[in-house]
């Protein structure tokens, strides 16, 4: 008797809170898809970087790790590296600040991971009348929130060096702060013209504005309207990810960097964070300058170019859009790696000079000119 | 007075000073290598050593794994004279002699080479009066990805089973005094 009451109550609650329950399930599924993809890509990039650099230098690259005799082009090195990292000694220096030392890798990893919540990785999907947007947090100010959260990552680098009680670590974290904080200014300044042109401070707004075409057939992508912004943002992204040619923070041959004293999974946190940062900036570049999930000429009614129109199934369209942003992200991650293995390291004073004397005035000029054109037309 | 050296730094022209053109030039070089190696992996000259072997060049083949040459009937040319075991600087050859019924009268009952001690100096080959021990197999000792894998089932410790063998397409050598006697004995026996 009482069980029936509970049952009917549950059904009633389900009917009342149906939208909320659906939203909960939807959010968890989206988190699973996006973070699964990002983590997988970052993991593959760790071995992908070694493999790509090997091909660039006429080498074979990692190809020895195997499971049951299958090497799978060295892909099992991801697993082998992970196991190695876990098995290593977890070393804590005697004069380190225990709490902050432990916290540093987490602080450098979590804000970067959190930023992905704002990123729209697809348009929307309509399953049996239920519409879901491929975006975990839909915010009107997502561009600014992204830069606010991703700039928190500098605290990880800063704390790691300062609390490890090692002079090399201290030197590395000072360098990391100097270059990361200076380039954050340039990075945001280079994105402001993009926000002005598409007149929206939210990522989904920027992407949907890029679906239009200029004079009928050229996609209205950021790279065509703001090539200078793209170059500056790309440079700033290279600096923010602390990789060559801006890797004085590590400088393998001189100081090891802010994570000298970090070993085992603590170090893996920093290293994995670096690769996740690459994925993040590749995604941001593809969103700001290459239309994000937009496929050229594809809209709800199918491919349209002038008078020609080919209708496309809704699910195929969703898959095409998801593929579009994934391909762009992977391509830009590869370009990050190619640049890292092509260019030599910048000198420390050249990095700051490049920022404050060249990129900063250029981006301000770009901002002013864009503002003028946006107001005039 | 501090000695100073003035470096003449090359002045960059406009295109060099904005980096972009030079970066693209650099990327063209690395990308050319990348795509050539991606689509034609055979262009990479790396040899995955334990699985693949390059043929040993020139006389390098004469400093490879040992073997004992055999006569026509399959008996070893070695007469257990102990020359090789005596000259061996690392004392890695162990021989036990025994009697045989032919003219030569001696043959090695036990012939062991401990390859973990061998320094591949080749003095045993120089010392051998019968041209029996030789290092002409062209095989390299111990090269293997799995360091505990046995080399031909015997590990690095070579015994008669691994040592006494013909090479494929080998013309049987006739050098050595005892060898000639033994061959004569064999011919007589055939008649």
């Amino acid at each position: 008797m009482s069980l029936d009451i509970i049952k009917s109550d549950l059904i009633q609650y389900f009917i009342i809170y149906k939208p909320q329950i659906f939203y909960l399930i939807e959010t968890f599924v989206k988190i699973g898809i996006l973070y699964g993809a990002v983590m997988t890509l970052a993991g593959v990039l760790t071995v992908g970087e070694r493999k790509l650099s090997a091909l660039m230098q006429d080498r074979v690259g990692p190809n020895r790790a195997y499971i049951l005799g299958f090497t799978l082009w060295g892909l099992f090195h991801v697993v082998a590296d992970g196991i190695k990292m876990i098995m290593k000694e977890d070393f804590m220096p005697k004069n380190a600040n225990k709490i902050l030392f432990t916290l540093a890798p987490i602080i450098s990893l979590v804000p970067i991971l959190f930023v992905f919540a704002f990123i729209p990785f697809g348009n929307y999907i309509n399953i049996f009348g239920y519409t879901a947007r491929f975006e975990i947090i839909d915010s009107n100010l997502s561009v600014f929130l992204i830069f606010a959260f991703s700039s928190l990552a500098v605290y990880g680098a800063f704390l790691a060096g300062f609390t490890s009680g090692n002079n090399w670590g201290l030197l590395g974290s000072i360098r990391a702060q100097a270059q990361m904080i200076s380039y954050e200014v340039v990075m945001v300044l280079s994105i402001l013209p993009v926000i002005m042109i598409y007149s929206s401070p939210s990522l989904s707004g920027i992407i949907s504005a890029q679906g239009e075409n200029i004079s009928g057939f050229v996609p209205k992508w950021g790279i065509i309207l703001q090539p200078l912004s793209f170059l500056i943002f790309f440079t700033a992204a290279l600096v923010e990810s602390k990789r060559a040619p801006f890797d004085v923070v590590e400088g393998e041959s001189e100081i090891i960097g802010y994570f000298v004293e970090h070993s085992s999974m603590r170090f893996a946190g920093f290293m994995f964070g670096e690769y996740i940062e690459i994925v993040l900036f590749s995604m941001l570049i593809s969103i700001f300058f290459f239309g994000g999930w937009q496929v050229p000429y594809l809209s709800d009614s199918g491919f349209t170019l002038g008078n020609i129109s080919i209708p496309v199934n809704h699910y195929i369209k969703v898959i095409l859009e998801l593929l579009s942003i994934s391909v762009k992200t992977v391509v830009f991650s590869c370009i990050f790696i190619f640049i890292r293995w092509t260019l030599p390291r910048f000198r420390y004073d050249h990095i700051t000079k490049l920022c404050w004397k060249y990129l900063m005035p250029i981006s301000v000029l770009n901002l002013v000119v864009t503002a003028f054109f946006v107001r005039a037309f | 007075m501090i000695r100073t050296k003035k470096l003449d730094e090359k002045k960059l022209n406009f295109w060099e000073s904005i980096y972009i053109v030079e970066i693209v030039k650099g990327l063209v070089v690395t990308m050319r290598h990348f795509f050539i190696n991606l689509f034609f992996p055979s262009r990479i000259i790396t040899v995955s050593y334990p699985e693949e072997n390059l043929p040993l060049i020139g006389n390098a083949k004469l400093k490879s794994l040992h073997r004992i040459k055999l006569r026509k009937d399959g008996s070893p040319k070695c007469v257990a004279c102990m020359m090789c075991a005596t000259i061996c600087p690392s004392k890695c050859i162990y021989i036990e002699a025994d009697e045989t019924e032919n003219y030569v009268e001696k043959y090695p009952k036990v012939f062991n080479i401990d390859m973990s001690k061998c320094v591949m100096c080749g003095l045993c080959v120089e010392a051998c009066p019968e041209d029996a021990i030789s290092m002409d197999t062209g095989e390299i000792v111990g090269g293997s990805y799995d360091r505990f894998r046995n080399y031909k089932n015997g590990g690095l410790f070579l015994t008669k089973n691994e040592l006494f063998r013909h090479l494929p397409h080998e013309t049987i050598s006739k050098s050595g005094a005892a060898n000639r006697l033994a061959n004569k004995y064999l011919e007589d026996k055939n008649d």
Side-chain angles (χ1 to χ4, degrees):
Chain A
M1 191 62 190
S2 62
L3 208 71
D4 282 349
I5 293 170
I6 291 170
K7 214 184 238 174
S8 65
D9 272 12
L10 273 177
I11 290 164
Q12 218 151 25
Y13 278 127
F14 182 75
I15 291 162
I16 296 166
Y17 292 111
K18 199 177 153 190
Q20 280 87 342
I21 292 167
F22 270 46
Y23 183 72
L24 199 70
I25 294 167
E26 180 200 322
T27 308
F28 274 112
V29 169
K30 283 191 291 195
I31 289 172
I33 293 173
L34 180 62
Y35 282 90
V38 166
M39 290 301 200
T40 314
L41 181 57
V44 170
L45 274 183
T46 56
V47 74
E49 166 151 45
R50 292 165 67 195
K51 203 78 185 171
L52 295 186
S53 65
L55 287 178
M56 286 163 73
Q57 298 169 348
D58 296 351
R59 293 184 286 114
V60 178
N63 61 350
R64 288 292 171 186
Y66 62 88
I67 293 175
L68 299 173
F70 293 103
T71 55
L72 215 69
W73 311 286
L75 218 58
F76 289 128
H77 276 264
V78 183
V79 186
D81 286 346
I83 294 169
K84 186 199 125 185
M85 284 291 184
I86 293 168
M87 304 299 272
K88 282 216 154 192
E89 186 198 350
D90 187 12
F91 175 72
M92 172 84 77
K94 209 183 257 176
N95 53 353
N97 185 325
K98 303 279 181 292
I99 299 166
L100 293 177
F101 185 81
T102 314
L103 221 55
I106 301 168
I107 291 177
S108 73
L109 201 56
V110 169
I112 296 291
L113 280 177
F114 185 64
V115 167
F116 282 100
F118 296 108
I119 287 182
F121 55 101
N123 194 0
Y124 67 89
I125 188 165
N126 203 331
I127 313 170
F128 309 123
Y130 182 78
T131 310
R133 296 184 58 79
F134 287 108
E135 192 175 17
I136 296 166
I137 303 174
D138 193 4
S139 167
N140 286 335
L141 291 166
S142 47
V143 174
F144 299 113
L145 286 171
I146 274 176
F147 290 120
F149 280 108
S150 68
S151 64
L152 283 178
V154 77
Y155 284 103
F158 153 69
L159 285 175
F162 269 74
T163 60
S164 65
N166 184 312
N167 290 339
W168 302 119
L170 179 67
L171 213 54
S173 64
I174 288 170
R175 290 180 179 188
Q177 283 173 67
Q179 76 177 48
M180 284 174 84
I181 290 173
S182 356
Y183 274 88
E184 244 144 44
V185 179
V186 172
M187 186 177 246
V188 177
L189 276 177
S190 71
I191 282 306
L192 286 178
V194 178
I195 297 172
M196 281 159 130
I197 281 178
Y198 300 119
S199 57
S200 167
S202 82
L203 288 173
S204 44
I206 286 175
I207 295 174
S208 51
Q210 293 185 59
E212 297 160 22
N213 292 333
I214 311 166
S215 68
F217 63 94
V218 182
K220 197 180 169 188
W221 283 1
I223 181 75
I224 291 153
L225 295 173
Q226 285 290 341
L228 205 59
S229 270
F230 165 70
L231 284 175
I232 296 168
F233 185 80
F234 192 74
T235 315
L238 280 173
V239 180
E240 288 290 308
S241 59
K242 301 188 284 290
R243 290 161 59 78
F246 302 103
D247 67 339
V248 284
V249 176
E250 292 172 36
E252 297 98 337
S253 53
E254 24 182 295
I255 59 172
I256 313 298
Y258 52 89
F259 44 65
V260 199
E261 297 290 354
H262 290 257
S263 57
S264 123
M265 281 314 267
R266 295 177 208 266
F267 169 72
F270 288 120
M271 205 177 119
F272 206 59
E274 190 182 301
Y275 286 102
I276 290 173
E277 227 163 36
I278 293 173
V279 177
L280 170 68
F281 285 120
S282 317
M283 268 186 149
L284 286 182
I285 286 169
S286 64
I287 283 169
F288 285 132
F289 301 102
F290 290 85
W293 42 258
Q294 296 280 6
V295 183
Y297 318 123
L298 183 67
S299 63
D300 276 339
S301 53
F303 283 102
T304 36
L305 182 60
N307 299 324
I308 312 151
S309 166
I310 309 158
V312 174
N313 184 316
H314 175 66
Y315 296 107
I316 293 173
K317 177 175 166 281
V318 168
I319 290 168
L320 277 177
E321 282 168 351
L322 288 178
L323 263 180
S324 170
I325 191 160
S326 338
V327 167
K328 285 166 192 169
T329 308
V330 170
V331 165
F332 277 103
S333 307
C334 289
I335 289 176
F336 267 86
I337 289 169
F338 292 148
I339 292 212
R340 186 231 185 287
W341 289 92
T342 301
L343 301 180
R345 189 182 303 145
F346 265 76
R347 213 166 74 190
Y348 183 50
D349 58 327
H350 285 183
I351 294 177
T352 25
K353 207 170 98 181
L354 181 72
C355 174
W356 294 109
K357 282 179 80 177
Y358 300 108
L359 294 184
M360 173 98 165
I362 290 170
S363 52
V364 170
L365 198 71
N366 188 23
L367 184 65
V368 171
V369 172
T370 313
F372 174 76
F373 274 98
V374 166
R375 191 78 188 89
F377 302 108
Chain B
M1 186 69 189
I2 303 164
R3 284 211 308 158
T4 54
K5 190 181 177 187
K6 208 169 181 194
L7 293 172
D8 297 327
E9 278 190 18
K10 191 187 159 237
K11 267 273 184 212
L12 302 178
N13 65 28
F14 174 71
W15 291 110
E16 285 167 347
S17 65
I18 61 167
Y19 296 131
I20 295 163
V21 181
E22 298 297 312
I23 287 171
V24 170
K25 274 187 194 170
L27 275 174
V28 165
V29 173
T30 44
M31 286 300 93
R32 200 176 61 224
H33 278 264
F34 174 75
F35 283 111
I36 287 174
N37 291 329
L38 185 68
F39 294 117
F40 307 100
S42 53
R43 296 264 305 243
I44 301 172
I45 57 169
T46 309
V47 177
S48 314
Y49 164 57
E51 294 93 29
E52 297 169 29
N53 272 319
L54 288 180
L56 293 172
I57 36 165
N59 288 338
K61 207 186 163 189
L62 299 176
K63 279 285 170 68
S64 48
L65 188 72
H66 304 70
R67 68 165 180 134
I68 306 289
K69 289 182 182 170
L70 302 177
R71 297 194 189 105
K72 263 183 212 158
D73 64 337
S75 61
K77 278 171 81 178
C78 176
V79 292
C81 65
M82 304 284 179
M83 289 276 210
C84 51
T86 312
I87 203 165
C88 181
S90 50
K91 302 273 177 285
C92 66
I93 303 177
Y94 175 76
I95 302 168
E96 265 178 37
D98 199 0
E99 270 186 58
T100 175
E101 83 276 14
N102 64 17
Y103 285 1
V104 181
E105 291 179 354
K106 266 173 95 186
Y107 86 106
K109 191 172 74 180
V110 177
F111 198 113
N112 295 334
I113 300 181
D114 188 352
M115 292 308 295
S116 63
K117 282 185 189 170
C118 177
V119 293
M120 308 300 283
C121 62
L123 285 176
C124 48
V125 181
E126 302 277 331
C128 186
E130 289 298 318
D131 188 30
I133 189 164
S134 68
M135 297 169 77
D136 60 353
T137 49
E139 294 162 23
I140 300 167
V141 190
S144 124
Y145 178 51
D146 179 3
R147 73 182 91 159
F148 301 113
R149 196 189 69 181
N150 286 349
Y151 190 80
K152 293 208 171 211
N153 309 322
L156 288 173
F157 191 74
L158 304 180
T159 55
K160 269 164 75 167
N161 297 334
E162 292 90 35
L163 283 169
F164 292 2
R165 58 177 163 145
H166 283 301
L167 286 185
H169 318 298
E170 183 194 8
T171 52
I172 290 163
S173 134
K174 289 189 174 143
S175 50
N179 186 32
R180 274 195 287 280
L181 278 176
N183 277 333
K184 196 162 170 283
Y185 169 77
L186 282 173
E187 276 161 25
D188 292 348
K189 219 170 128 186
N190 281 352
D191 297 338

